[in-house]
Amino acid sequence: MSLLTADSSQLLIGGELRPGGGGTFETVNPATEEVLGQAPDADSADLDAAIGAARTAFDDTDWSRDHAFRAHCLRQLRTALQADAEALREITIAEVGAPLMLTRGPQLEGPVDDLEYAAGLAESYAWETDLGTASPMGIKSSRVLRREAIGVVGAITPWNFPHQINFAKLGPALAAGNTVVLKPAPDTPWCATSVGAIIAEHTDIPPGVVNIITSSAHEIGSALTSDPRVDMISFTGSTATGRAVMTNAAATLKKTFLELGGKSAFVILDDADIAAAAGFAAFSVCVHAGQGCALTTRLLVPRAAYEQAIEAAAATMGGIRPGDPTKPGTICGPLISSAQRARVEHYLSLARAEGGRIVVGGGRPAGLDRGFFIEPTLIADLDNGATAAREEIFGPVLVVIPHDGDDDAIRIANDSPYGLSGSVWGTDPARIDHVTSRIRTGTLGVNGGIWYSADAPFGGYKQSGNGREMGVAGFEEYLETKLIATAG
Ligand code: NAD
Protein backbone atom coordinates (compact mmCIF):
# COMPACT_ATOMS: atom_id res chain seq x y z
CA MET A 1 0.00 0.00 0.00
CA SER A 2 1.36 3.41 -0.89
CA LEU A 3 2.07 5.59 2.10
CA LEU A 4 0.48 8.43 0.18
CA THR A 5 -3.04 7.05 0.42
CA ALA A 6 -5.44 8.78 2.77
CA ASP A 7 -5.97 5.46 4.55
CA SER A 8 -2.43 5.38 5.81
CA SER A 9 -2.80 8.75 7.53
CA GLN A 10 -4.04 7.66 10.93
CA LEU A 11 -3.22 8.28 14.55
CA LEU A 12 -1.12 5.65 16.30
CA ILE A 13 -2.45 4.97 19.79
CA GLY A 14 -1.71 1.88 21.85
CA GLY A 15 -0.42 0.03 18.79
CA GLU A 16 -3.57 0.72 16.73
CA LEU A 17 -3.91 2.93 13.70
CA ARG A 18 -7.14 4.86 14.06
CA PRO A 19 -8.95 8.00 12.91
CA GLY A 20 -8.95 11.17 14.94
CA GLY A 21 -11.88 11.94 17.24
CA GLY A 22 -11.91 15.48 15.89
CA GLY A 23 -12.35 14.42 12.25
CA THR A 24 -9.72 15.42 9.73
CA PHE A 25 -7.81 18.47 8.57
CA GLU A 26 -6.15 19.33 5.28
CA THR A 27 -2.49 19.04 4.51
CA VAL A 28 -1.31 21.34 1.74
CA ASN A 29 1.55 21.29 -0.77
CA PRO A 30 3.33 24.63 -0.20
CA ALA A 31 4.87 24.60 -3.69
CA THR A 32 1.52 24.31 -5.50
CA GLU A 33 -1.05 25.34 -2.83
CA GLU A 34 -2.96 22.15 -3.67
CA VAL A 35 -4.62 20.17 -0.91
CA LEU A 36 -2.71 16.89 -0.74
CA GLY A 37 -5.33 15.18 1.39
CA GLN A 38 -6.59 14.77 4.93
CA ALA A 39 -4.85 14.08 8.22
CA PRO A 40 -6.49 12.79 11.40
CA ASP A 41 -7.43 15.53 13.85
CA ALA A 42 -6.86 14.24 17.38
CA ASP A 43 -9.15 15.46 20.13
CA SER A 44 -8.52 15.47 23.87
CA ALA A 45 -9.88 11.91 24.23
CA ASP A 46 -7.26 10.73 21.72
CA LEU A 47 -4.54 12.51 23.64
CA ASP A 48 -5.78 10.99 26.88
CA ALA A 49 -5.71 7.50 25.32
CA ALA A 50 -2.22 8.06 23.88
CA ILE A 51 -0.76 9.20 27.19
CA GLY A 52 -2.51 6.32 28.97
CA ALA A 53 -1.08 3.82 26.47
CA ALA A 54 2.43 5.27 26.83
CA ARG A 55 2.12 5.13 30.63
CA THR A 56 0.98 1.50 30.61
CA ALA A 57 3.71 0.46 28.16
CA PHE A 58 6.30 2.06 30.40
CA ASP A 59 4.96 0.90 33.77
CA ASP A 60 3.74 -2.59 32.92
CA THR A 61 6.25 -4.00 30.41
CA ASP A 62 9.96 -4.71 30.31
CA TRP A 63 10.57 -2.23 27.50
CA SER A 64 12.67 0.11 29.66
CA ARG A 65 14.92 -2.73 30.89
CA ASP A 66 15.35 -4.81 27.72
CA HIS A 67 18.18 -2.94 26.01
CA ALA A 68 18.80 -5.58 23.32
CA PHE A 69 15.14 -5.68 22.30
CA ARG A 70 15.05 -1.90 21.94
CA ALA A 71 18.14 -1.97 19.73
CA HIS A 72 16.44 -4.65 17.61
CA CYS A 73 13.25 -2.54 17.28
CA LEU A 74 15.17 0.59 16.28
CA ARG A 75 17.12 -1.31 13.62
CA GLN A 76 13.89 -2.87 12.36
CA LEU A 77 12.31 0.60 12.12
CA ARG A 78 15.32 1.91 10.23
CA THR A 79 15.18 -0.97 7.74
CA ALA A 80 11.43 -0.54 7.22
CA LEU A 81 11.79 3.22 6.68
CA GLN A 82 14.60 2.62 4.20
CA ALA A 83 12.43 0.13 2.32
CA ASP A 84 9.74 2.81 1.97
CA ALA A 85 12.21 5.63 1.28
CA GLU A 86 10.74 6.60 -2.09
CA ALA A 87 7.19 6.96 -0.74
CA LEU A 88 8.50 8.92 2.25
CA ARG A 89 10.54 11.13 -0.06
CA GLU A 90 7.45 11.91 -2.11
CA ILE A 91 5.49 12.87 1.02
CA THR A 92 8.34 14.96 2.38
CA ILE A 93 8.81 16.96 -0.80
CA ALA A 94 5.06 17.43 -1.26
CA GLU A 95 4.18 18.31 2.32
CA VAL A 96 7.26 20.20 3.53
CA GLY A 97 8.27 21.75 0.20
CA ALA A 98 11.69 20.26 0.96
CA PRO A 99 14.02 20.28 -2.04
CA LEU A 100 14.65 16.78 -3.39
CA MET A 101 18.40 17.02 -2.81
CA LEU A 102 17.88 17.66 0.92
CA THR A 103 15.86 14.44 1.25
CA ARG A 104 19.12 12.60 0.51
CA GLY A 105 20.53 14.27 3.63
CA PRO A 106 18.93 15.93 6.66
CA GLN A 107 15.35 15.97 5.36
CA LEU A 108 15.01 12.18 5.29
CA GLU A 109 17.82 9.72 4.65
CA GLY A 110 20.29 11.19 7.15
CA PRO A 111 18.03 10.98 10.21
CA VAL A 112 16.68 7.54 9.21
CA ASP A 113 20.25 6.31 8.91
CA ASP A 114 21.07 7.82 12.30
CA LEU A 115 18.63 5.43 14.01
CA GLU A 116 21.57 3.00 13.91
CA TYR A 117 23.49 5.35 16.20
CA ALA A 118 20.61 5.26 18.70
CA ALA A 119 20.35 1.45 18.44
CA GLY A 120 24.10 1.18 19.05
CA LEU A 121 23.84 3.31 22.18
CA ALA A 122 21.06 1.11 23.59
CA GLU A 123 23.49 -1.81 23.29
CA SER A 124 26.77 -0.24 24.29
CA TYR A 125 25.87 2.37 26.91
CA ALA A 126 27.28 1.80 30.41
CA TRP A 127 23.93 1.55 32.23
CA GLU A 128 25.60 0.77 35.54
CA THR A 129 28.75 2.12 37.18
CA ASP A 130 30.31 0.59 40.27
CA LEU A 131 31.24 3.43 42.65
CA GLY A 132 32.96 1.02 45.03
CA THR A 133 32.54 1.08 48.78
CA ALA A 134 32.50 3.95 51.22
CA SER A 135 31.59 4.28 54.88
CA PRO A 136 29.50 7.41 55.27
CA MET A 137 28.26 7.78 58.85
CA GLY A 138 30.31 4.70 59.73
CA ILE A 139 28.21 2.28 57.67
CA LYS A 140 30.19 0.48 55.02
CA SER A 141 28.19 0.59 51.78
CA SER A 142 28.83 -0.64 48.26
CA ARG A 143 27.41 1.80 45.75
CA VAL A 144 26.10 1.30 42.27
CA LEU A 145 25.06 4.10 39.97
CA ARG A 146 22.30 3.14 37.55
CA ARG A 147 20.96 5.05 34.60
CA GLU A 148 17.31 4.51 33.82
CA ALA A 149 14.71 5.82 31.42
CA ILE A 150 12.75 8.86 32.59
CA GLY A 151 9.34 7.44 31.68
CA VAL A 152 6.74 8.90 29.32
CA VAL A 153 8.18 11.52 26.97
CA GLY A 154 5.95 14.04 25.22
CA ALA A 155 7.73 15.03 21.99
CA ILE A 156 6.50 18.18 20.24
CA THR A 157 8.03 19.08 16.89
CA PRO A 158 7.96 21.78 14.16
CA TRP A 159 7.46 21.50 10.40
CA ASN A 160 10.75 22.64 8.91
CA PHE A 161 12.77 19.40 9.16
CA PRO A 162 10.07 17.02 10.40
CA HIS A 163 11.91 13.70 9.99
CA GLN A 164 15.18 15.06 11.31
CA ILE A 165 13.53 16.38 14.44
CA ASN A 166 11.04 13.51 14.95
CA PHE A 167 13.83 10.91 14.71
CA ALA A 168 16.32 12.97 16.76
CA LYS A 169 13.73 12.63 19.55
CA LEU A 170 12.29 9.15 18.90
CA GLY A 171 15.73 7.52 18.39
CA PRO A 172 17.40 8.45 21.68
CA ALA A 173 14.16 8.51 23.73
CA LEU A 174 13.36 4.93 22.70
CA ALA A 175 16.99 3.76 22.90
CA ALA A 176 17.07 5.04 26.47
CA GLY A 177 13.95 2.99 27.32
CA ASN A 178 11.22 5.63 27.39
CA THR A 179 7.80 5.51 25.80
CA VAL A 180 6.72 8.44 23.64
CA VAL A 181 3.71 10.51 22.62
CA LEU A 182 4.76 12.43 19.51
CA LYS A 183 2.80 15.57 18.59
CA PRO A 184 4.08 16.87 15.23
CA ALA A 185 3.33 20.27 13.69
CA PRO A 186 -0.08 20.77 12.04
CA ASP A 187 1.66 21.73 8.77
CA THR A 188 3.37 18.35 8.28
CA PRO A 189 1.11 15.61 9.66
CA TRP A 190 1.71 13.02 6.93
CA CYS A 191 5.45 12.96 7.59
CA ALA A 192 4.56 11.66 11.06
CA THR A 193 1.52 9.46 10.31
CA SER A 194 3.47 7.62 7.60
CA VAL A 195 6.08 6.75 10.22
CA GLY A 196 3.27 5.65 12.55
CA ALA A 197 1.93 3.29 9.87
CA ILE A 198 5.39 1.78 9.42
CA ILE A 199 5.86 1.33 13.18
CA ALA A 200 2.47 -0.38 13.52
CA GLU A 201 2.76 -2.63 10.50
CA HIS A 202 6.46 -3.40 10.11
CA THR A 203 8.11 -3.39 13.52
CA ASP A 204 7.97 -5.26 16.82
CA ILE A 205 7.75 -1.98 18.76
CA PRO A 206 5.19 -2.94 21.43
CA PRO A 207 1.76 -1.26 21.61
CA GLY A 208 1.89 2.06 23.45
CA VAL A 209 5.65 2.53 23.16
CA VAL A 210 5.21 5.06 20.35
CA ASN A 211 1.98 7.03 19.98
CA ILE A 212 1.52 9.64 17.25
CA ILE A 213 -1.10 12.34 17.60
CA THR A 214 -1.65 14.79 14.75
CA SER A 215 -3.87 17.77 15.35
CA SER A 216 -4.84 21.02 13.71
CA ALA A 217 -4.87 22.62 17.18
CA HIS A 218 -1.84 23.70 19.16
CA GLU A 219 -3.94 23.07 22.31
CA ILE A 220 -3.27 19.32 22.04
CA GLY A 221 0.44 20.11 22.42
CA SER A 222 -0.31 22.38 25.32
CA ALA A 223 -2.38 19.68 27.06
CA LEU A 224 0.50 17.22 26.62
CA THR A 225 2.86 19.59 28.44
CA SER A 226 0.65 19.85 31.53
CA ASP A 227 -0.48 16.21 31.92
CA PRO A 228 0.87 14.73 35.17
CA ARG A 229 1.31 11.29 33.55
CA VAL A 230 4.00 12.73 31.27
CA ASP A 231 7.50 12.77 32.81
CA MET A 232 9.39 14.87 30.27
CA ILE A 233 8.71 17.20 27.36
CA SER A 234 11.16 17.23 24.49
CA PHE A 235 10.25 20.29 22.45
CA THR A 236 11.58 21.85 19.27
CA GLY A 237 10.02 25.03 17.97
CA SER A 238 9.98 28.76 18.43
CA THR A 239 11.32 30.48 21.53
CA ALA A 240 7.87 31.97 22.26
CA THR A 241 6.27 28.51 22.29
CA GLY A 242 9.20 27.09 24.25
CA ARG A 243 8.50 29.64 26.96
CA ALA A 244 4.84 28.52 27.08
CA VAL A 245 5.93 24.87 27.24
CA MET A 246 8.25 25.55 30.16
CA THR A 247 5.56 27.50 31.99
CA ASN A 248 2.94 24.77 31.49
CA ALA A 249 5.34 22.03 32.51
CA ALA A 250 6.25 23.86 35.71
CA ALA A 251 3.06 22.86 37.52
CA THR A 252 4.11 19.20 37.47
CA LEU A 253 7.85 20.01 37.53
CA LYS A 254 8.49 17.79 34.52
CA LYS A 255 11.81 18.00 32.79
CA THR A 256 11.72 20.25 29.73
CA PHE A 257 14.28 19.83 27.00
CA LEU A 258 14.03 22.77 24.60
CA GLU A 259 15.48 23.33 21.11
CA LEU A 260 14.39 26.82 20.10
CA GLY A 261 15.02 29.62 17.63
CA GLY A 262 18.21 31.29 16.48
CA LYS A 263 19.68 34.39 14.86
CA SER A 264 23.16 33.10 14.25
CA ALA A 265 26.13 35.13 13.04
CA PHE A 266 28.46 34.36 10.14
CA VAL A 267 31.67 36.14 11.10
CA ILE A 268 34.24 36.97 8.40
CA LEU A 269 37.62 38.04 9.76
CA ASP A 270 39.78 40.41 7.72
CA ASP A 271 42.31 37.71 6.77
CA ALA A 272 39.62 35.54 5.13
CA ASP A 273 38.84 35.23 1.43
CA ILE A 274 36.02 37.77 1.70
CA ALA A 275 34.24 36.99 -1.56
CA ALA A 276 34.33 33.21 -1.06
CA ALA A 277 33.11 33.48 2.52
CA ALA A 278 30.32 35.95 1.70
CA GLY A 279 29.21 33.75 -1.20
CA PHE A 280 29.07 30.73 1.11
CA ALA A 281 27.03 32.68 3.66
CA ALA A 282 24.61 33.83 0.96
CA PHE A 283 24.17 30.30 -0.40
CA SER A 284 23.58 28.70 2.98
CA VAL A 285 20.79 31.09 3.97
CA CYS A 286 18.84 30.11 0.81
CA VAL A 287 18.84 26.37 1.58
CA HIS A 288 15.24 25.21 2.20
CA ALA A 289 14.20 28.85 1.77
CA GLY A 290 15.96 29.80 4.99
CA GLN A 291 13.68 27.65 7.15
CA GLY A 292 16.42 26.33 9.40
CA CYS A 293 16.88 27.28 13.04
CA ALA A 294 20.68 27.11 12.86
CA LEU A 295 21.15 29.08 9.64
CA THR A 296 23.52 32.02 9.89
CA THR A 297 21.27 34.97 9.06
CA ARG A 298 23.54 37.82 10.17
CA LEU A 299 26.65 38.31 8.04
CA LEU A 300 29.33 40.24 9.98
CA VAL A 301 32.07 41.55 7.68
CA PRO A 302 35.14 43.80 8.17
CA ARG A 303 34.06 47.41 7.58
CA ALA A 304 36.77 47.92 4.93
CA ALA A 305 35.38 44.97 2.95
CA TYR A 306 31.69 45.82 3.44
CA GLU A 307 30.86 46.65 -0.20
CA GLN A 308 32.99 43.78 -1.50
CA ALA A 309 31.11 41.32 0.72
CA ILE A 310 27.74 42.77 -0.31
CA GLU A 311 28.66 42.42 -3.95
CA ALA A 312 29.72 38.78 -3.54
CA ALA A 313 26.67 37.84 -1.46
CA ALA A 314 24.36 39.64 -3.91
CA ALA A 315 25.87 37.79 -6.86
CA THR A 316 25.20 34.45 -5.17
CA MET A 317 21.70 35.27 -3.95
CA GLY A 318 20.70 36.88 -7.22
CA GLY A 319 21.67 33.65 -8.98
CA ILE A 320 19.51 31.39 -6.81
CA ARG A 321 15.99 31.06 -8.18
CA PRO A 322 13.39 29.66 -5.84
CA GLY A 323 11.46 26.90 -7.53
CA ASP A 324 9.95 23.45 -7.78
CA PRO A 325 11.32 21.30 -4.93
CA THR A 326 10.86 18.11 -6.96
CA LYS A 327 13.61 19.26 -9.37
CA PRO A 328 17.08 17.87 -8.60
CA GLY A 329 18.80 21.28 -8.91
CA THR A 330 16.49 23.23 -6.53
CA ILE A 331 17.94 24.33 -3.20
CA CYS A 332 15.40 27.06 -2.39
CA GLY A 333 11.82 25.75 -2.39
CA PRO A 334 8.72 27.44 -1.01
CA LEU A 335 7.99 28.67 2.50
CA ILE A 336 5.68 26.33 4.40
CA SER A 337 2.49 28.42 4.28
CA SER A 338 0.94 31.70 3.27
CA ALA A 339 1.10 32.72 6.95
CA GLN A 340 4.84 32.13 6.99
CA ARG A 341 5.26 34.12 3.77
CA ALA A 342 3.22 36.98 5.24
CA ARG A 343 5.52 36.89 8.28
CA VAL A 344 8.64 37.11 6.10
CA GLU A 345 7.11 39.94 4.06
CA HIS A 346 6.28 41.77 7.29
CA TYR A 347 9.96 41.62 8.28
CA LEU A 348 11.00 42.86 4.83
CA SER A 349 8.75 45.90 5.12
CA LEU A 350 10.05 46.58 8.62
CA ALA A 351 13.61 46.39 7.27
CA ARG A 352 12.77 48.98 4.63
CA ALA A 353 11.02 51.20 7.19
CA GLU A 354 14.05 51.03 9.51
CA GLY A 355 16.39 52.23 6.73
CA GLY A 356 17.54 48.93 5.26
CA ARG A 357 18.71 48.72 1.65
CA ILE A 358 17.33 45.71 -0.23
CA VAL A 359 20.31 44.77 -2.40
CA VAL A 360 18.66 41.79 -4.09
CA GLY A 361 15.24 40.18 -3.74
CA GLY A 362 12.66 41.66 -1.44
CA GLY A 363 9.51 40.23 -2.98
CA ARG A 364 7.79 37.28 -4.59
CA PRO A 365 9.61 35.76 -7.57
CA ALA A 366 8.22 36.61 -11.00
CA GLY A 367 6.59 33.79 -12.92
CA LEU A 368 5.61 31.72 -9.89
CA ASP A 369 1.97 32.51 -9.28
CA ARG A 370 1.28 29.35 -7.24
CA GLY A 371 3.18 28.34 -4.13
CA PHE A 372 4.45 30.30 -1.13
CA PHE A 373 7.73 31.41 -2.68
CA ILE A 374 9.84 34.38 -1.67
CA GLU A 375 12.99 35.73 -3.33
CA PRO A 376 16.37 35.28 -1.64
CA THR A 377 16.87 38.71 -0.10
CA LEU A 378 20.00 40.56 0.95
CA ILE A 379 19.60 43.54 3.28
CA ALA A 380 22.37 46.09 3.91
CA ASP A 381 22.69 49.33 5.91
CA LEU A 382 20.94 48.07 9.06
CA ASP A 383 22.73 47.82 12.36
CA ASN A 384 22.43 44.95 14.80
CA GLY A 385 19.66 46.74 16.69
CA ALA A 386 17.25 46.64 13.73
CA THR A 387 14.31 44.25 13.97
CA ALA A 388 15.47 42.18 10.97
CA ALA A 389 18.84 41.67 12.70
CA ARG A 390 17.35 40.72 16.06
CA GLU A 391 14.35 38.54 15.32
CA GLU A 392 14.15 35.17 13.64
CA ILE A 393 12.64 35.66 10.17
CA PHE A 394 12.69 32.03 8.96
CA GLY A 395 13.03 32.92 5.29
CA PRO A 396 15.91 33.27 2.79
CA VAL A 397 16.94 36.63 4.21
CA LEU A 398 20.48 37.73 5.06
CA VAL A 399 21.38 40.96 6.87
CA VAL A 400 24.94 42.28 6.30
CA ILE A 401 26.49 44.25 9.17
CA PRO A 402 30.01 45.76 9.27
CA HIS A 403 32.37 45.11 12.20
CA ASP A 404 35.53 46.90 13.39
CA GLY A 405 37.79 43.94 14.15
CA ASP A 406 37.62 40.57 15.88
CA ASP A 407 36.43 41.77 19.28
CA ASP A 408 33.77 43.96 17.73
CA ALA A 409 32.58 40.97 15.65
CA ILE A 410 32.37 38.88 18.84
CA ARG A 411 30.41 41.66 20.55
CA ILE A 412 27.89 41.88 17.70
CA ALA A 413 27.58 38.09 17.37
CA ASN A 414 26.80 37.84 21.09
CA ASP A 415 24.44 40.82 21.07
CA SER A 416 21.39 38.61 20.55
CA PRO A 417 18.88 36.90 22.81
CA TYR A 418 19.70 33.71 20.91
CA GLY A 419 22.80 31.49 21.00
CA LEU A 420 22.20 28.57 18.68
CA SER A 421 24.95 28.38 16.07
CA GLY A 422 27.40 30.36 13.98
CA SER A 423 30.25 30.37 11.53
CA VAL A 424 33.74 31.89 11.59
CA TRP A 425 35.96 32.41 8.54
CA GLY A 426 39.61 33.37 8.64
CA THR A 427 43.13 32.02 8.19
CA ASP A 428 44.99 32.65 11.47
CA PRO A 429 44.27 29.73 13.88
CA ALA A 430 45.00 31.89 16.95
CA ARG A 431 42.47 34.52 15.89
CA ILE A 432 39.91 31.85 15.01
CA ASP A 433 40.40 30.27 18.43
CA HIS A 434 40.02 33.70 20.09
CA VAL A 435 36.69 34.20 18.33
CA THR A 436 35.27 30.65 18.67
CA SER A 437 36.03 30.60 22.39
CA ARG A 438 34.09 33.82 22.96
CA ILE A 439 30.99 33.39 20.80
CA ARG A 440 28.25 32.00 23.05
CA THR A 441 26.50 29.41 20.91
CA GLY A 442 26.00 25.64 20.99
CA THR A 443 27.64 24.91 17.62
CA LEU A 444 30.13 26.74 15.38
CA GLY A 445 31.48 25.92 11.93
CA VAL A 446 34.95 27.16 10.96
CA ASN A 447 35.70 27.87 7.30
CA GLY A 448 32.71 25.78 6.21
CA GLY A 449 33.14 22.91 8.69
CA ILE A 450 29.91 20.93 9.29
CA TRP A 451 28.95 20.19 12.89
CA TYR A 452 25.74 18.27 12.05
CA SER A 453 26.18 14.55 12.79
CA ALA A 454 24.46 11.76 14.76
CA ASP A 455 27.29 11.69 17.32
CA ALA A 456 27.56 15.49 17.70
CA PRO A 457 25.39 17.22 20.31
CA PHE A 458 23.34 20.14 19.01
CA GLY A 459 21.53 22.82 20.99
CA GLY A 460 21.50 26.37 22.17
CA TYR A 461 22.81 28.82 24.72
CA LYS A 462 20.61 31.61 26.09
CA GLN A 463 17.09 31.76 24.66
CA SER A 464 17.87 29.16 21.99
CA GLY A 465 17.01 26.48 24.52
CA ASN A 466 18.39 24.12 27.08
CA GLY A 467 19.78 20.63 26.71
CA ARG A 468 21.37 18.94 23.71
CA GLU A 469 19.97 16.78 20.94
CA MET A 470 21.97 13.94 19.35
CA GLY A 471 25.27 12.47 20.46
CA VAL A 472 25.70 10.81 23.86
CA ALA A 473 24.62 14.08 25.50
CA GLY A 474 21.36 13.95 23.55
CA PHE A 475 20.77 10.33 24.65
CA GLU A 476 21.48 11.16 28.30
CA GLU A 477 18.79 13.87 28.26
CA TYR A 478 16.32 10.97 28.35
CA LEU A 479 17.83 9.27 31.41
CA GLU A 480 17.44 9.50 35.17
CA THR A 481 20.25 8.66 37.59
CA LYS A 482 19.63 6.25 40.47
CA LEU A 483 22.15 5.43 43.19
CA ILE A 484 21.79 2.16 45.11
CA ALA A 485 23.84 1.71 48.29
CA THR A 486 23.96 -1.76 49.89
CA ALA A 487 25.27 -2.14 53.42
CA GLY A 488 28.10 -4.59 53.98
P1 NAD B 1 6.09 26.60 16.82
O1 NAD B 1 6.77 26.94 18.11
O2 NAD B 1 4.99 27.45 16.34
O3 NAD B 1 5.46 25.12 16.92
C1 NAD B 1 6.24 24.00 17.24
C2 NAD B 1 5.34 22.91 17.78
O4 NAD B 1 4.75 23.33 19.01
C3 NAD B 1 4.17 22.54 16.86
O5 NAD B 1 3.98 21.14 16.92
C4 NAD B 1 3.01 23.27 17.52
O6 NAD B 1 1.75 22.67 17.25
C5 NAD B 1 3.35 23.13 18.98
N1 NAD B 1 2.76 24.14 19.87
C6 NAD B 1 2.33 25.38 19.58
N2 NAD B 1 1.90 26.02 20.70
C7 NAD B 1 2.10 25.15 21.72
C8 NAD B 1 1.90 25.23 23.13
N3 NAD B 1 1.41 26.32 23.72
N4 NAD B 1 2.23 24.17 23.88
C9 NAD B 1 2.76 23.06 23.33
N5 NAD B 1 2.96 22.92 22.00
C10 NAD B 1 2.63 23.96 21.21
O7 NAD B 1 7.25 26.46 15.75
P2 NAD B 1 7.12 26.19 14.19
O8 NAD B 1 6.59 27.42 13.54
O9 NAD B 1 6.41 24.89 13.95
O10 NAD B 1 8.66 25.98 13.79
C11 NAD B 1 9.55 27.02 13.56
C12 NAD B 1 10.36 27.33 14.80
O11 NAD B 1 11.04 26.15 15.26
C13 NAD B 1 11.44 28.36 14.57
O12 NAD B 1 11.45 29.27 15.62
C14 NAD B 1 12.72 27.54 14.58
O13 NAD B 1 13.88 28.24 14.94
C15 NAD B 1 12.40 26.48 15.56
N6 NAD B 1 13.27 25.32 15.35
C16 NAD B 1 14.27 25.08 16.25
C17 NAD B 1 15.13 24.01 16.06
C18 NAD B 1 16.23 23.72 17.04
O14 NAD B 1 16.68 22.58 17.06
N7 NAD B 1 16.69 24.64 17.84
C19 NAD B 1 14.97 23.20 14.95
C20 NAD B 1 13.96 23.48 14.04
C21 NAD B 1 13.09 24.55 14.27
Side-chain angles (χ1 to χ4, degrees):
M1 181 175 70
S2 164
L3 293 168
L4 272 173
T5 63
D7 285 356
S8 66
S9 186
Q10 311 243 28
L11 306 178
L12 175 60
I13 300 176
E16 276 177 30
L17 296 173
R18 55 194 234 194
T24 59
F25 64 102
E26 291 177 348
T27 185
V28 171
N29 182 329
T32 62
E33 302 183 34
E34 282 160 9
V35 175
L36 288 165
Q38 303 295 315
D41 210 354
D43 62 11
S44 51
D46 294 322
L47 179 68
D48 180 61
I51 298 173
R55 195 70 258 168
T56 302
F58 187 79
D59 292 339
D60 298 350
T61 77
D62 248 356
W63 172 255
S64 67
R65 286 170 291 274
D66 193 342
H67 309 319
F69 178 58
R70 297 200 307 276
H72 155 79
C73 287
L74 283 165
R75 291 203 174 101
Q76 211 180 22
L77 173 60
R78 178 174 179 266
T79 303
L81 292 164
Q82 286 170 335
D84 260 326
E86 291 320 312
L88 287 166
R89 192 185 320 285
E90 205 180 319
I91 291 174
T92 309
I93 296 169
E95 191 174 61
V96 186
L100 168 65
M101 74 167 78
L102 291 185
T103 66
R104 311 229 181 263
Q107 280 288 16
L108 179 62
E109 290 182 26
V112 167
D113 210 38
D114 290 349
L115 289 173
E116 173 54 35
Y117 179 79
L121 272 177
E123 278 174 342
S124 66
Y125 189 69
W127 298 95
E128 210 167 276
T129 312
D130 185 354
L131 290 190
T133 56
S135 299
M137 294 173 244
I139 300 173
K140 190 175 169 208
S141 306
S142 48
R143 292 101 26 91
V144 170
L145 192 65
R146 278 201 199 141
R147 304 284 271 159
E148 297 181 343
I150 285 183
V152 173
V153 173
I156 302 175
T157 57
W159 42 262
N160 60 330
F161 282 81
H163 297 301
Q164 201 285 321
I165 298 164
N166 290 343
F167 292 128
K169 297 193 186 304
L170 281 175
L174 297 178
N178 300 279
T179 60
V180 178
V181 177
L182 170 66
K183 208 298 286 172
D187 312 80
T188 50
W190 280 10
C191 284
T193 55
S194 52
V195 172
I198 289 172
I199 288 174
E201 288 164 3
H202 300 290
T203 74
D204 298 330
I205 294 177
V209 164
V210 179
N211 305 274
I212 299 180
I213 296 289
T214 53
S215 169
S216 59
H218 296 312
E219 286 70 25
I220 290 291
S222 181
L224 184 59
T225 62
S226 52
D227 194 293
R229 294 169 293 172
V230 176
D231 298 290
M232 169 182 176
I233 294 292
S234 176
F235 172 80
T236 298
S238 63
T239 292
T241 307
R243 211 168 272 130
V245 166
M246 208 173 191
T247 305
N248 277 345
T252 49
L253 284 173
K254 54 175 66 62
K255 176 172 179 177
T256 51
F257 163 52
L258 305 173
E259 294 285 358
L260 308 177
K263 192 74 194 178
S264 301
F266 189 113
V267 176
I268 305 182
L269 306 181
D270 63 11
D271 61 353
D273 178 338
I274 303 282
F280 188 96
F283 176 85
S284 56
V285 84
C286 297
V287 173
H288 191 29
Q291 300 167 109
C293 53
L295 294 179
T296 43
T297 50
R298 292 181 293 151
L299 176 58
L300 312 188
V301 302
R303 192 173 298 278
Y306 185 56
E307 290 304 332
Q308 184 197 355
I310 289 172
E311 201 178 304
T316 299
M317 290 180 98
I320 295 173
R321 238 190 94 64
D324 182 353
T326 64
K327 296 255 165 66
T330 300
I331 64 140
C332 182
L335 298 171
I336 189 71
S337 61
S338 63
Q340 184 62 21
R341 182 170 60 185
R343 180 185 146 95
V344 172
E345 288 176 333
H346 169 69
Y347 278 110
L348 296 181
S349 48
L350 272 178
R352 287 187 181 92
E354 291 178 19
R357 166 167 54 110
I358 308 290
V359 185
V360 288
R364 300 182 184 187
L368 285 173
D369 42 356
R370 304 287 292 169
F372 309 121
F373 294 96
I374 197 93
E375 289 176 312
T377 301
L378 182 66
I379 307 175
D381 300 351
L382 289 179
D383 67 23
N384 196 51
T387 311
R390 295 207 78 72
E391 297 186 12
E392 186 178 48
I393 297 176
F394 237 53
V397 181
L398 183 63
V399 180
V400 197
I401 299 167
H403 68 75
D404 294 309
D406 301 4
D407 286 334
D408 193 44
I410 294 163
R411 179 191 64 77
I412 300 170
N414 285 336
D415 178 16
S416 168
Y418 296 111
L420 193 53
S421 190
S423 188
V424 181
W425 285 59
T427 51
D428 178 350
R431 287 176 62 191
I432 289 171
D433 186 56
H434 177 85
V435 175
T436 54
S437 60
R438 284 163 179 78
I439 292 183
R440 300 194 58 231
T441 63
T443 51
L444 279 171
V446 175
N447 292 330
I450 305 291
W451 41 258
Y452 173 75
S453 164
D455 64 349
F458 168 74
Y461 285 33
K462 302 194 276 183
Q463 293 183 36
S464 289
N466 56 43
R468 290 294 178 272
E469 198 138 77
M470 306 200 291
V472 175
F475 173 78
E476 289 179 335
E477 294 287 350
Y478 296 95
L479 294 175
E480 287 278 19
T481 298
K482 178 184 281 176
L483 187 108
I484 299 171
T486 306

